[in-house]
Amino acid sequence: MARAPKLPQIDTEERFLAQVAWAYYVEGLTQEKVADKLGATRLRVNKALSEAHQRGLVRISFNTAYAACAELEAALVARFGLRQAYVAPAPQDPEDVQKVTGAALGHLLSEVLADPAVKLFGMSWGGTLNTATRFVAAMSRPDLEVISVMGGLTQGSDLNSFEITTRLADLLGAQHSYFTAPLYAGSRESRDTIMQLDVFREVLEKLRGVDAMAMAAGDLSTRSLLMRDGMPKDVAVEELRALGGVGDVLGTVIDAEGQPIAHPINERVIGIGLEDLAGIPNVILAAGGTYKLAVNRAILRRGVVDTFVTDEATARALLAGPR
């Protein structure tokens, strides 16, 4: 019988300091609310914030492995064959789950994008990735290019690929380029015509050659930006659910096993496909909220994700569910 993976030893004091600092600086809670959340006195919270500064745990970003939940991270890595997992502590208000997940992604990207080996970085779009750009540390990377990996929405939004790609590149002093196409074509035939154009073939090859990329996953509800604003008018969400759809990744609607469902919408996606992810050195998936549990489990089962960023409740639910 295989042995359970050995979990790291936890420095409970440092973890408490990190939890206090996270709740205070990222969630924006008052010291009194931090104390209520963690079952501590306000005096202890005040001293913890002071000690976190003294230890160097709190700067622009969190300089500690215990800013996240180390036990859950190790278990996720073992369960889904990941290279790395980053689990953000649960927010006091469940509605803030996207905020804390985005903050965790932002801190992670600060490390990823500081690596000079990363010359071409792909960026998807969505609420979590939009939030992440507010937490990425500013740096000078004129040798880096940030490229959008998905077509955009036809209506303006600060969650769209163009805005997010531009904002991230500006933070890094980097170059940036867009995938200037809609996410969905009107039909499979028009998609094929567009994809055969020299300009788009060149861009697609460039996207397949990124050193790392960040993407999100969406469920099939109005919480999803894609379902709310990006799905073609001739496609009903009920159709997608009836065919076993649990959510989308890069615009492709997948079932519980991570396979594209048999619906024409998947033949209209303009961009890279799920099969292209296997060739990318570091695919980062950021998706928090237990309402995304099914789509998270589906894409993790597919085995194309290298780094997973989520929140504590979602991580626990994934680990408690079927393999």
Side-chain angles (χ1 to χ4, degrees):
M1 186 174 71
R3 291 185 177 180
K6 186 176 180 180
L7 300 180
Q9 297 298 309
I10 305 301
D11 182 335
T12 55
E13 178 60 21
E14 184 172 326
R15 180 178 177 185
F16 176 76
L17 296 180
Q19 288 175 324
V20 168
W22 184 280
Y24 185 74
Y25 290 106
V26 177
E27 293 186 53
L29 302 182
T30 64
Q31 291 188 23
E32 182 176 359
K33 289 185 177 179
V34 174
D36 291 339
K37 175 183 176 181
L38 299 179
T41 64
R42 185 172 176 179
L43 178 60
R44 189 183 179 201
V45 167
N46 183 274
K47 288 183 176 179
L49 288 170
S50 177
E51 186 172 350
H53 278 287
Q54 291 173 2
R55 289 197 189 187
L57 304 187
V58 179
R59 300 181 298 181
I60 295 175
S61 61
F62 286 88
N63 186 32
T64 167
Y66 301 105
C69 304
E71 314 99 308
L72 294 174
E73 292 169 357
L76 286 170
V77 167
R79 170 74 70 88
F80 296 106
L82 303 168
R83 181 188 311 167
Q84 182 182 9
Y86 196 144
V87 178
Q92 180 166 327
D93 184 349
E95 293 300 314
D96 287 338
V97 65
Q98 187 177 85
K99 179 180 179 181
V100 299
T101 305
L105 174 62
H107 292 304
L108 175 68
L109 291 184
S110 297
E111 299 175 8
V112 171
L113 297 172
D115 182 355
V118 177
K119 301 291 188 183
L120 183 60
F121 182 77
M123 193 70 166
S124 178
W125 51 257
T128 301
L129 275 69
N130 178 54
T131 299
T133 61
R134 303 173 191 169
F135 292 89
V136 174
M139 62 186 80
S140 179
R141 285 295 314 272
D143 59 325
L144 173 71
E145 180 178 352
V146 180
I147 183 170
S148 58
V149 298
M150 293 174 67
L153 300 178
T154 55
Q155 62 186 57
S157 167
D158 62 359
L159 308 183
N160 212 335
S161 57
F162 308 127
E163 287 77 9
I164 292 174
T165 299
T166 301
R167 194 178 311 122
L168 180 62
D170 287 347
L171 274 170
L172 305 172
Q175 306 169 60
H176 63 278
S177 55
Y178 305 127
F179 186 30
T180 52
L183 181 55
Y184 297 111
S187 65
R188 176 179 180 174
E189 291 73 24
S190 59
R191 188 280 308 266
D192 290 345
T193 300
I194 291 171
M195 299 277 273
Q196 287 169 7
L197 295 174
D198 288 345
V199 63
F200 283 108
R201 283 193 297 181
E202 291 172 6
V203 172
L204 288 170
E205 285 307 306
K206 188 174 184 178
L207 294 179
R208 295 183 181 110
V210 297
D211 299 305
M213 66 169 282
M215 65 181 190
D219 68 324
L220 299 184
S221 78
T222 54
R223 286 177 178 261
S224 165
L225 174 67
L226 177 62
M227 296 300 126
R228 191 171 64 245
D229 298 328
M231 192 58 60
K233 300 300 183 184
D234 61 340
V235 177
V237 175
E238 292 74 20
E239 299 173 18
L240 308 179
R241 293 197 193 103
L243 290 170
V246 296
D248 88 280
V249 177
L250 299 177
T252 297
V253 180
I254 59 176
D255 64 19
E257 298 303 319
Q259 299 300 318
I261 64 171
H263 188 282
I265 191 63
N266 286 336
E267 299 176 345
R268 295 164 58 179
V269 178
I270 302 175
I272 59 174
L274 299 183
E275 66 278 1
D276 295 313
L277 299 180
I280 296 174
N282 187 10
V283 175
I284 303 166
L285 171 66
T290 53
Y291 60 93
K292 292 185 180 180
L293 182 61
V295 67
N296 276 335
R297 180 175 287 119
I299 194 63
L300 290 172
R301 280 175 170 170
R302 192 177 174 95
V304 294
V305 174
D306 300 289
T307 304
F308 181 43
V309 182
T310 193
D311 65 286
E312 187 175 352
T314 303
R316 293 188 187 283
L318 281 167
L319 294 167
R323 292 183 178 275

